[in-house]
Amino acid sequence: MKPTSSRTNALAVVFALVMSTASAEFSLSERCPPSFRLSESNTCELQSLYFMYGSIQNQGIGGTQTNLPHFNDGYTPQQIDLGRYLFFDPILSVDGSMSCASCHQPDRGFSDGQSRSIGLNGQTLQRSAPSLWNVGFSQRLFWDARSTRLEAQALEPLFHENEMGNTPQQLLQTLKHNANYRALFRTAFPASSDITVDDLAIALSAFQSSLISLNSRYDAYAHGDHSALSEQEIQGLNVFRSFVARCSECHTPPLFSNNQIAVIGVAERTGETLDVGAERTFNSRKLRGGFKVPNLRNITLTAPYMHAGQKQTLEEVVEFYSRGRGNELDDSDERQLHWHITQPDLTTDEIAAVVAFLGALTDETMKPITPSTVPSGLPLVHDNLGSDRP
């Protein structure tokens, strides 16, 4: 895509700011984030009480004391901290107008509060920004499950013309002309002779893997503190795990996702065409309108809900499932709905209890520190609408 004159001017401003920060000083942490232990080989290894349990995820409908699946760890503290700077730095976008954090905002559960995210030059994208909490456990990434590697997920938005709009060549050139990033990459990747796209992907993946949320009131309950939840929340947990509602068959504890794809039959907004989702990824007609099952950690922070924000509240989401199989589809719709979706017909009290329980999954104790300045010298961009809130 050939840059317009306005974009060319923007690039010149970005480049000037990048060059002007040569005298600034940034250093990388030598300590692992909370929940990680520093190994003798200088890598950060996740620690969790869930590792004490012998069962594996997806057995049954998800007991409270269930082990965790494979986790994407083994990064150094320096790689994680470099990834943190990069995640918040608008230098990654073509014109310095967006960062990863523009769409994955820490205060919004690492989503963005938009039904469909806003990309470069105010373009409305096809889907909402999924939360990044516990993304290091994900076996498939993006709503349509098109990626199996976190490194690939980290790079795709950078080089998509409607998202951050950059190119590998231009981004590397910009990073290499910044003295801060040259020094930081040397520290994080001492075996590399120069900044590479592969090292950039590793740093971003390292930071995203550090976003751990396993310390909610629900987790205290699961580990044996039965006073951690209210009576209503316990009722909601019981409904959630019941063979009537069957929520936990897809949203399986402790991650509250089974990392699979489900066709649930939520309708698009009036006038919008069907998003075929995972059908395109797997070239499978039975996955038409199917999307990855999202994890429910910090779900109260990530409204609106579904792949394109069709539901504004958790009450609407639970009511949708309660009304049962295909309740939003007409007879001409060809989607093959997931086998476990029935019609639980939950009462008003049961719906309220499930929503209350979902609130007990909130845990931001490991939320990383947003840097006050970034190595590029560019101003922080706090959301994808271009506002610069404190």
Side-chain angles (χ1 to χ4, degrees):
M1 183 171 61
K2 185 177 180 180
T4 62
S5 59
S6 61
R7 180 171 293 183
T8 302
N9 292 335
L11 294 177
V13 172
V14 171
F15 192 78
L17 282 168
V18 166
M19 292 294 291
S20 72
T21 62
S23 61
E25 292 185 2
F26 290 84
S27 61
L28 298 178
S29 175
E30 297 181 355
R31 302 178 61 181
C32 294
S35 284
F36 290 83
R37 179 183 67 86
L38 185 64
S39 72
E40 293 182 358
S41 59
N42 192 44
T43 59
C44 296
E45 298 177 349
L46 180 63
Q47 306 293 295
S48 172
L49 290 175
Y50 284 109
F51 289 134
M52 298 188 308
Y53 309 130
S55 59
I56 60 174
Q57 192 187 31
N58 299 334
Q59 285 186 335
I61 60 169
T64 56
Q65 295 188 339
T66 303
N67 205 338
L68 293 161
H70 173 74
F71 178 69
N72 188 50
D73 63 1
Y75 301 106
T76 68
Q78 293 82 7
Q79 290 167 350
I80 293 171
D81 208 26
L82 172 58
R84 180 177 69 96
Y85 280 124
L86 290 165
F87 187 87
F88 289 97
D89 199 329
I91 195 175
L92 298 189
S93 63
V94 67
D95 57 1
S97 66
M98 297 182 67
S99 68
C100 301
S102 298
C103 289
H104 298 285
Q105 302 163 28
D107 292 343
R108 290 191 168 109
F110 285 94
S111 61
D112 64 3
Q114 305 294 321
S115 295
R116 294 190 295 167
S117 289
I118 307 299
L120 196 67
N121 298 322
Q123 297 182 78
T124 300
L125 304 180
Q126 186 177 24
R127 300 170 185 146
S128 63
S131 170
L132 297 180
W133 282 113
N134 294 334
V135 71
F137 291 103
S138 295
Q139 298 160 10
R140 291 196 173 274
L141 301 131
F142 297 107
W143 276 109
D144 57 9
R146 65 184 180 271
S147 177
T148 59
R149 296 178 59 250
L150 192 53
E151 288 81 5
Q153 177 270 343
L155 291 179
E156 184 171 325
L158 307 187
F159 307 133
H160 192 291
E161 64 179 6
N162 293 331
E163 294 191 44
M164 297 174 77
N166 222 324
T167 66
Q169 298 78 13
Q170 178 175 298
L171 179 52
L172 288 179
Q173 180 186 26
T174 308
L175 290 170
K176 290 176 182 180
H177 278 84
N178 180 271
N180 292 322
Y181 274 120
R182 289 199 303 272
L184 295 176
F185 270 88
R186 281 196 301 270
T187 300
F189 300 98
S192 297
S193 59
D194 204 352
I195 299 174
T196 67
V197 171
D198 286 344
D199 289 345
L200 171 65
I202 289 171
L204 288 170
S205 300
F207 171 69
Q208 290 185 70
S209 292
S210 74
L211 303 176
I212 298 298
S213 182
L214 294 170
N215 195 34
S216 67
R217 289 188 297 109
Y218 162 77
D219 298 299
Y221 179 90
H223 296 314
D225 180 6
H226 288 184
S227 67
L229 299 183
S230 69
E231 289 186 9
Q232 185 187 38
E233 290 165 343
I234 293 173
Q235 179 194 5
L237 170 60
N238 291 335
V239 173
F240 188 91
R241 296 178 59 211
S242 70
F243 281 105
V244 175
R246 309 176 82 164
C247 308
S248 62
E249 292 187 6
C250 285
H251 297 286
T252 312
L255 294 182
F256 291 88
S257 172
N258 61 4
N259 274 310
Q260 296 178 11
I261 296 161
V263 183
I264 64 171
V266 65
E268 306 292 350
R269 290 185 183 81
T270 302
E272 294 184 354
T273 58
L274 173 65
D275 183 344
V276 300
E279 177 189 16
R280 182 172 289 112
T281 301
F282 297 96
N283 192 29
S284 173
R285 186 71 175 181
K286 71 179 182 180
L287 295 178
R288 183 175 179 81
F291 297 93
K292 178 188 167 185
V293 176
N295 89 75
L296 302 182
R297 295 287 181 158
N298 292 308
I299 191 69
T300 60
L301 304 175
T302 62
Y305 304 105
M306 306 300 186
H307 65 275
Q310 293 97 323
K311 306 299 178 187
Q312 295 299 308
T313 67
L314 287 174
E315 286 82 2
E316 290 180 17
V317 173
V318 180
E319 287 168 359
F320 163 77
Y321 285 108
S322 180
R323 289 194 298 271
R325 191 175 186 84
N327 66 82
E328 291 189 348
L329 306 182
D330 58 39
D331 294 338
S332 64
D333 198 289
E334 300 178 352
R335 275 177 275 186
Q336 299 180 40
L337 299 185
H338 197 285
W339 65 270
H340 86 277
I341 296 177
T342 55
Q343 187 170 344
D345 285 328
L346 301 179
T347 67
T348 300
D349 287 345
E350 287 172 330
I351 291 173
V354 171
V355 172
F357 164 67
L358 294 175
L361 298 176
T362 302
D363 164 37
E364 299 181 280
T365 55
M366 308 304 176
K367 186 164 68 174
I369 297 173
T370 300
S372 57
T373 58
V374 287
S376 69
L378 294 168
L380 293 175
V381 181
H382 291 286
D383 59 41
N384 52 5
L385 300 179
S387 67
D388 188 18
R389 56 182 171 81

